[in-house]
Amino acid sequence: MVHKILDAVLFLVIFFLIQAVVLYLVQTAALLHGGLSLSQVPARLSAGNVGLSGRGLIAMSVLSSVVTLVVFIYAKWAPFTRVWLASHPWVALSWVIWLALGTILPSQWLMDQMQYSMPAATMRMFESMMGEPLGYLALGILAPITEELVFRGAILRTLLSLFDKKYHWIPIALSAVVFGAVHGNVPQFVHASLMGLILGWMYYRTESISPGVVFHWINNTVAFVMFNLMPQMADGKLIDLFHGDSKTMWLGLAFSLCILIPSFFQLNLRLKRN
């Protein structure tokens, strides 16, 4: 049991370590490109005032995702299998898409109720990345695959092996909290933890990261599209989307629940545990 726990911790540490090393390399490349000599780079990095452009952040995100995927797949920490997809679960995946769409407005409303806001630095980072077309490659495609492979395919898979099947919600909840915590701020912690419960449940039912990747992809894609269509909404509240009309907002939330609840019901029937 201790060995399995250490494995899960190791996966998380390696995930962060890869990001830290890639960040260091990208920042070093940016400083060298900016005219600094190699001997001047360490002092500048130690000062902590190295700001990356949107393209620099995208390069860091893409590179760290690719390295993470290669390391975890090569080491077989997250076995990659097509067993579930081989059953042609296209109807189930369509309900995953509807479920993801149904969670967007309720999740935003919940975050609006909190007295915490996303840190300004984090907001600027996301805005600079989403303002670039290649930002979609980093946030909309590679991030969902990488995070599902690590947090469900490696960490949750390991934690599930520690508990009897009737207690499967314990490792699902633990992995969801870890997934929320790595985002580093309260609003994203709440959102990612709730999404982590759904993602973990789908992984438990299918033993495949595919439903989670689709769900994650829809969630991130909607955020990317909304930012580029309505950039003024980046730091706004849900009611602003409805031009301040609370009645319309509540109707939108009710409509979302009309999508979300049937989607859960359908997936509960269609995602069969092997």
Side-chain angles (χ1 to χ4, degrees):
M1 181 175 181
V2 174
H3 176 69
K4 293 289 187 180
I5 294 174
L6 290 177
D7 281 346
V9 173
L10 176 65
F11 298 149
L12 188 61
V13 170
I14 290 175
F15 175 75
F16 277 116
L17 184 60
I18 290 173
Q19 292 193 74
V21 170
V22 170
L23 175 61
Y24 178 85
L25 293 175
V26 172
Q27 287 181 328
T28 298
L31 291 174
L32 292 175
H33 182 72
L36 267 67
S37 65
L38 191 59
S39 61
Q40 294 174 310
V41 168
R44 183 68 177 274
L45 290 174
S46 299
N49 58 348
V50 181
L52 291 176
S53 65
R55 291 184 179 181
L57 290 168
I58 292 169
M60 182 203 72
S61 179
V62 169
L63 184 57
S64 62
S65 291
V66 170
V67 172
T68 301
L69 289 172
V70 170
V71 169
F72 274 74
I73 292 175
Y74 179 78
K76 297 182 179 179
W77 291 333
F80 190 78
T81 173
R82 291 176 52 86
V83 173
W84 187 71
L85 284 178
S87 67
H88 305 294
W90 313 129
V91 175
L93 286 175
S94 68
W95 282 109
V96 171
I97 293 173
W98 284 113
L99 178 65
L101 292 172
T103 62
I104 291 171
L105 295 188
S107 176
Q108 182 61 50
W109 179 84
L110 183 61
M111 287 193 290
D112 288 349
Q113 308 315 301
M114 295 184 293
Q115 297 184 1
Y116 299 92
S117 58
M118 195 180 297
T122 304
M123 282 296 303
R124 288 195 298 270
M125 180 187 73
F126 281 122
E127 288 173 5
S128 62
M129 293 178 70
M130 289 193 290
E132 297 281 347
L134 280 176
Y136 183 68
L137 173 64
L139 299 174
I141 298 176
L142 289 175
I145 297 173
T146 304
E147 291 179 7
E148 290 311 303
L149 189 80
V150 174
F151 290 95
R152 257 60 64 179
I155 294 176
L156 177 55
R157 180 181 61 84
T158 301
L159 293 177
L160 281 169
S161 67
L162 298 174
F163 294 85
D164 189 87
K165 289 182 180 180
K166 63 182 178 180
Y167 299 116
H168 64 276
W169 277 109
I170 296 176
I172 289 175
L174 286 174
S175 66
V177 170
V178 171
F179 182 56
V182 300
H183 287 78
N185 58 81
V186 175
Q188 283 187 294
F189 169 77
V190 173
H191 172 77
S193 295
L194 292 175
M195 296 303 103
L197 292 174
I198 298 173
L199 295 166
W201 171 70
M202 291 193 296
Y203 179 81
Y204 169 75
R205 282 296 192 92
T206 62
E207 296 182 346
S208 170
I209 65 170
S210 299
V213 169
V214 171
F215 184 103
H216 212 141
W217 166 64
I218 290 294
N219 183 78
N220 289 17
T221 296
V222 169
F224 188 89
V225 171
M226 288 298 294
F227 174 82
N228 284 279
L229 290 180
M230 304 176 68
Q232 70 276 11
M233 283 292 300
D235 57 352
K237 295 185 178 297
L238 179 61
I239 196 168
D240 298 330
L241 180 64
F242 298 94
H243 307 288
D245 188 336
S246 60
K247 181 179 179 180
T248 307
M249 182 192 74
W250 286 111
L251 287 173
L253 286 169
F255 180 73
S256 292
L257 292 178
C258 289
I259 298 174
L260 191 154
I261 295 173
S263 299
F264 261 127
F265 178 77
Q266 287 291 330
L267 288 173
N268 189 51
L269 294 175
R270 296 176 185 277
L271 299 183
K272 300 295 185 181
R273 170 94 177 149
N274 293 329

